[in-house]
Amino acid sequence: MKNILKNIPGNLPEELFQTLVKNAGVHIERIVSRGHASPAGEWYDQDRNEFVLVLKGAGHIEFGNGRTESLEAGDWLEIPARVKHRVAWTAPDSDTIWLAVHYS
Amino acid sequence: MKNILKNIPGNLPEELFQTLVKNAGVHIERIVSRGHASPAGEWYDQDRNEFVLVLKGAGHIEFGNGRTESLEAGDWLEIPARVKHRVAWTAPDSDTIWLAVHYS
């Protein structure tokens, strides 16, 4: 994949996770959502920090402490390791494309 | 900076480098170019790998082996450590916004 905004499948029954770069220290991936959200009550609780950036579309990230962040194209967040979070909402009628960088 | 596409200075005499995340393992930065290029004959020769993504605009990356890559919005490249490269050109009439991730 040379362009992170292109080659989106027409059919997207589940969120799409695609690795761009992966080595011992870093994992960079593209995530494509189309109205998907994390199942109710299901949280990411990760060993590594995450930098997440919305490239297109919009999404809401909910945190274990009750805070929710609304993100649109260009917005980014740093999510420290062990901070519980979930995708509460993504735009239902268009693709939301995320870049995620996981690092220690 | 919450949004990587906003808050661009009106006056940009030199390329703008802004750190978003930095720790021992990773350095994530925003770079804004407006017609800027690396000085002729000057090369980046970095200790760490770099993932670079064009968020807006367009640029050309030239490599020490003579290859040049043209990048537009959404295009990304992985530049391994010690691979000499320079920014040969960026769009003169608009801002080019890059996301760079440096990692070991």
Side-chain angles (χ1 to χ4, degrees), chain B residues 29-49:
Chain B
E29 60 181 354
R30 170 172 90 163
I31 305 165
V32 184
S33 319
R34 194 179 291 158
H36 301 93
S38 307
E42 215 165 271
W43 299 88
Y44 292 106
D45 182 5
Q46 302 171 144
D47 290 338
R48 301 209 278 184
N49 308 299

mmCIF file of all heavy atoms in Angstrom, chain B residues 29-49:
data_model
loop_
_atom_site.group_PDB
_atom_site.id
_atom_site.type_symbol
_atom_site.label_atom_id
_atom_site.label_comp_id
_atom_site.label_asym_id
_atom_site.label_seq_id
_atom_site.Cartn_x
_atom_site.Cartn_y
_atom_site.Cartn_z
ATOM 1 N N GLU B 29 6.934 13.758 14.656
ATOM 2 C CA GLU B 29 6.916 15.204 14.436
ATOM 3 C C GLU B 29 6.061 15.574 13.235
ATOM 4 O O GLU B 29 5.830 14.780 12.329
ATOM 5 C CB GLU B 29 8.330 15.760 14.275
ATOM 6 C CG GLU B 29 9.115 15.185 13.134
ATOM 7 C CD GLU B 29 10.536 15.730 13.009
ATOM 8 O OE1 GLU B 29 10.920 16.657 13.738
ATOM 9 O OE2 GLU B 29 11.277 15.219 12.158
ATOM 10 N N ARG B 30 5.605 16.826 13.272
ATOM 11 C CA ARG B 30 4.957 17.435 12.112
ATOM 12 C C ARG B 30 5.988 18.321 11.425
ATOM 13 O O ARG B 30 6.705 19.075 12.097
ATOM 14 C CB ARG B 30 3.779 18.290 12.540
ATOM 15 C CG ARG B 30 3.249 19.132 11.379
ATOM 16 C CD ARG B 30 1.957 19.836 11.720
ATOM 17 N NE ARG B 30 2.158 21.159 12.294
ATOM 18 C CZ ARG B 30 1.196 22.082 12.369
ATOM 19 N NH1 ARG B 30 -0.023 21.796 11.936
ATOM 20 N NH2 ARG B 30 1.427 23.254 12.920
ATOM 21 N N ILE B 31 6.028 18.231 10.103
ATOM 22 C CA ILE B 31 6.888 19.105 9.318
ATOM 23 C C ILE B 31 5.994 19.848 8.323
ATOM 24 O O ILE B 31 5.135 19.244 7.687
ATOM 25 C CB ILE B 31 7.967 18.300 8.557
ATOM 26 C CG1 ILE B 31 8.780 17.431 9.535
ATOM 27 C CG2 ILE B 31 8.891 19.231 7.772
ATOM 28 C CD1 ILE B 31 9.621 16.351 8.863
ATOM 29 N N VAL B 32 6.176 21.165 8.242
ATOM 30 C CA VAL B 32 5.409 21.962 7.282
ATOM 31 C C VAL B 32 6.391 22.622 6.318
ATOM 32 O O VAL B 32 7.336 23.309 6.742
ATOM 33 C CB VAL B 32 4.560 23.040 7.979
ATOM 34 C CG1 VAL B 32 3.713 23.783 6.943
ATOM 35 C CG2 VAL B 32 3.666 22.422 9.056
ATOM 36 N N SER B 33 6.172 22.380 5.032
ATOM 37 C CA SER B 33 7.004 22.971 3.978
ATOM 38 C C SER B 33 6.125 23.853 3.105
ATOM 39 O O SER B 33 4.935 23.578 2.925
ATOM 40 C CB SER B 33 7.611 21.880 3.080
ATOM 41 O OG SER B 33 8.059 20.759 3.816
ATOM 42 N N ARG B 34 6.730 24.888 2.556
ATOM 43 C CA ARG B 34 6.001 25.753 1.615
ATOM 44 C C ARG B 34 6.974 26.130 0.507
ATOM 45 O O ARG B 34 7.507 27.236 0.475
ATOM 46 C CB ARG B 34 5.470 26.973 2.361
ATOM 47 C CG ARG B 34 4.423 27.777 1.588
ATOM 48 C CD ARG B 34 3.933 28.963 2.427
ATOM 49 N NE ARG B 34 3.132 28.528 3.566
ATOM 50 C CZ ARG B 34 2.944 29.283 4.675
ATOM 51 N NH1 ARG B 34 3.505 30.475 4.780
ATOM 52 N NH2 ARG B 34 2.203 28.828 5.661
ATOM 53 N N GLY B 35 7.205 25.163 -0.364
ATOM 54 C CA GLY B 35 8.172 25.386 -1.431
ATOM 55 C C GLY B 35 9.613 25.129 -0.997
ATOM 56 O O GLY B 35 10.532 25.246 -1.802
ATOM 57 N N HIS B 36 9.791 24.763 0.275
ATOM 58 C CA HIS B 36 11.151 24.534 0.770
ATOM 59 C C HIS B 36 11.724 23.227 0.229
ATOM 60 O O HIS B 36 10.994 22.297 -0.086
ATOM 61 C CB HIS B 36 11.155 24.474 2.298
ATOM 62 C CG HIS B 36 10.644 25.714 2.956
ATOM 63 N ND1 HIS B 36 9.333 25.868 3.330
ATOM 64 C CD2 HIS B 36 11.259 26.866 3.281
ATOM 65 C CE1 HIS B 36 9.158 27.064 3.877
ATOM 66 N NE2 HIS B 36 10.307 27.701 3.854
ATOM 67 N N ALA B 37 13.022 23.185 0.157
ATOM 68 C CA ALA B 37 13.722 21.948 -0.201
ATOM 69 C C ALA B 37 15.022 21.925 0.582
ATOM 70 O O ALA B 37 15.472 22.953 1.096
ATOM 71 C CB ALA B 37 13.999 21.906 -1.706
ATOM 72 N N SER B 38 15.627 20.755 0.685
ATOM 73 C CA SER B 38 16.943 20.675 1.320
ATOM 74 C C SER B 38 17.935 21.422 0.436
ATOM 75 O O SER B 38 17.841 21.361 -0.793
ATOM 76 C CB SER B 38 17.391 19.219 1.446
ATOM 77 O OG SER B 38 16.406 18.441 2.101
ATOM 78 N N PRO B 39 18.890 22.101 1.050
ATOM 79 C CA PRO B 39 19.908 22.775 0.228
ATOM 80 C C PRO B 39 20.588 21.771 -0.715
ATOM 81 O O PRO B 39 20.759 20.601 -0.369
ATOM 82 C CB PRO B 39 20.895 23.305 1.270
ATOM 83 C CG PRO B 39 20.098 23.434 2.539
ATOM 84 C CD PRO B 39 19.100 22.310 2.492
ATOM 85 N N ALA B 40 20.951 22.233 -1.897
ATOM 86 C CA ALA B 40 21.595 21.354 -2.885
ATOM 87 C C ALA B 40 22.804 20.669 -2.265
ATOM 88 O O ALA B 40 23.618 21.310 -1.593
ATOM 89 C CB ALA B 40 22.005 22.172 -4.105
ATOM 90 N N GLY B 41 22.899 19.370 -2.466
ATOM 91 C CA GLY B 41 24.059 18.627 -1.977
ATOM 92 C C GLY B 41 24.011 18.287 -0.508
ATOM 93 O O GLY B 41 24.938 17.657 0.015
ATOM 94 N N GLU B 42 22.922 18.669 0.178
ATOM 95 C CA GLU B 42 22.827 18.376 1.611
ATOM 96 C C GLU B 42 21.886 17.187 1.821
ATOM 97 O O GLU B 42 20.755 17.190 1.334
ATOM 98 C CB GLU B 42 22.284 19.600 2.354
ATOM 99 C CG GLU B 42 22.888 19.768 3.721
ATOM 100 C CD GLU B 42 22.620 21.161 4.289
ATOM 101 O OE1 GLU B 42 23.431 22.086 4.054
ATOM 102 O OE2 GLU B 42 21.595 21.311 4.962
ATOM 103 N N TRP B 43 22.368 16.197 2.572
ATOM 104 C CA TRP B 43 21.614 14.951 2.732
ATOM 105 C C TRP B 43 21.321 14.680 4.199
ATOM 106 O O TRP B 43 22.152 14.943 5.058
ATOM 107 C CB TRP B 43 22.427 13.780 2.167
ATOM 108 C CG TRP B 43 22.732 13.910 0.712
ATOM 109 C CD1 TRP B 43 23.808 14.536 0.164
ATOM 110 C CD2 TRP B 43 21.927 13.450 -0.382
ATOM 111 N NE1 TRP B 43 23.737 14.490 -1.212
ATOM 112 C CE2 TRP B 43 22.591 13.823 -1.576
ATOM 113 C CE3 TRP B 43 20.716 12.747 -0.478
ATOM 114 C CZ2 TRP B 43 22.087 13.523 -2.837
ATOM 115 C CZ3 TRP B 43 20.216 12.445 -1.740
ATOM 116 C CH2 TRP B 43 20.899 12.830 -2.898
ATOM 117 N N TYR B 44 20.142 14.122 4.450
ATOM 118 C CA TYR B 44 19.867 13.530 5.758
ATOM 119 C C TYR B 44 20.521 12.147 5.784
ATOM 120 O O TYR B 44 20.367 11.360 4.844
ATOM 121 C CB TYR B 44 18.370 13.362 5.992
ATOM 122 C CG TYR B 44 17.599 14.656 6.155
ATOM 123 C CD1 TYR B 44 16.779 15.131 5.130
ATOM 124 C CD2 TYR B 44 17.662 15.382 7.336
ATOM 125 C CE1 TYR B 44 16.052 16.304 5.272
ATOM 126 C CE2 TYR B 44 16.940 16.561 7.482
ATOM 127 C CZ TYR B 44 16.139 17.013 6.455
ATOM 128 O OH TYR B 44 15.415 18.173 6.605
ATOM 129 N N ASP B 45 21.230 11.860 6.862
ATOM 130 C CA ASP B 45 21.894 10.564 7.027
ATOM 131 C C ASP B 45 21.676 10.182 8.489
ATOM 132 O O ASP B 45 22.478 10.518 9.358
ATOM 133 C CB ASP B 45 23.377 10.701 6.683
ATOM 134 C CG ASP B 45 24.124 9.378 6.776
ATOM 135 O OD1 ASP B 45 23.475 8.338 7.010
ATOM 136 O OD2 ASP B 45 25.356 9.397 6.633
ATOM 137 N N GLN B 46 20.565 9.498 8.752
ATOM 138 C CA GLN B 46 20.036 9.381 10.117
ATOM 139 C C GLN B 46 20.357 8.046 10.779
ATOM 140 O O GLN B 46 20.408 7.016 10.125
ATOM 141 C CB GLN B 46 18.507 9.602 10.089
ATOM 142 C CG GLN B 46 18.144 10.958 9.506
ATOM 143 C CD GLN B 46 16.655 11.143 9.242
ATOM 144 O OE1 GLN B 46 16.140 12.236 9.412
ATOM 145 N NE2 GLN B 46 15.956 10.089 8.821
ATOM 146 N N ASP B 47 20.509 8.104 12.099
ATOM 147 C CA ASP B 47 20.768 6.908 12.906
ATOM 148 C C ASP B 47 19.548 5.992 12.993
ATOM 149 O O ASP B 47 19.679 4.811 13.297
ATOM 150 C CB ASP B 47 21.113 7.308 14.350
ATOM 151 C CG ASP B 47 22.461 7.982 14.458
ATOM 152 O OD1 ASP B 47 23.291 7.778 13.554
ATOM 153 O OD2 ASP B 47 22.677 8.718 15.445
ATOM 154 N N ARG B 48 18.373 6.577 12.808
ATOM 155 C CA ARG B 48 17.156 5.799 13.019
ATOM 156 C C ARG B 48 16.344 5.687 11.737
ATOM 157 O O ARG B 48 16.503 6.456 10.798
ATOM 158 C CB ARG B 48 16.308 6.452 14.106
ATOM 159 C CG ARG B 48 17.094 6.551 15.421
ATOM 160 C CD ARG B 48 16.180 6.513 16.612
ATOM 161 N NE ARG B 48 15.597 7.802 16.895
ATOM 162 C CZ ARG B 48 14.804 8.019 17.953
ATOM 163 N NH1 ARG B 48 14.510 7.037 18.787
ATOM 164 N NH2 ARG B 48 14.304 9.215 18.175
ATOM 165 N N ASN B 49 15.467 4.710 11.700
ATOM 166 C CA ASN B 49 14.530 4.562 10.589
ATOM 167 C C ASN B 49 13.508 5.693 10.640
ATOM 168 O O ASN B 49 13.237 6.255 11.699
ATOM 169 C CB ASN B 49 13.790 3.231 10.696
ATOM 170 C CG ASN B 49 14.727 2.064 10.851
ATOM 171 O OD1 ASN B 49 15.546 1.803 9.983
ATOM 172 N ND2 ASN B 49 14.633 1.353 11.968
#
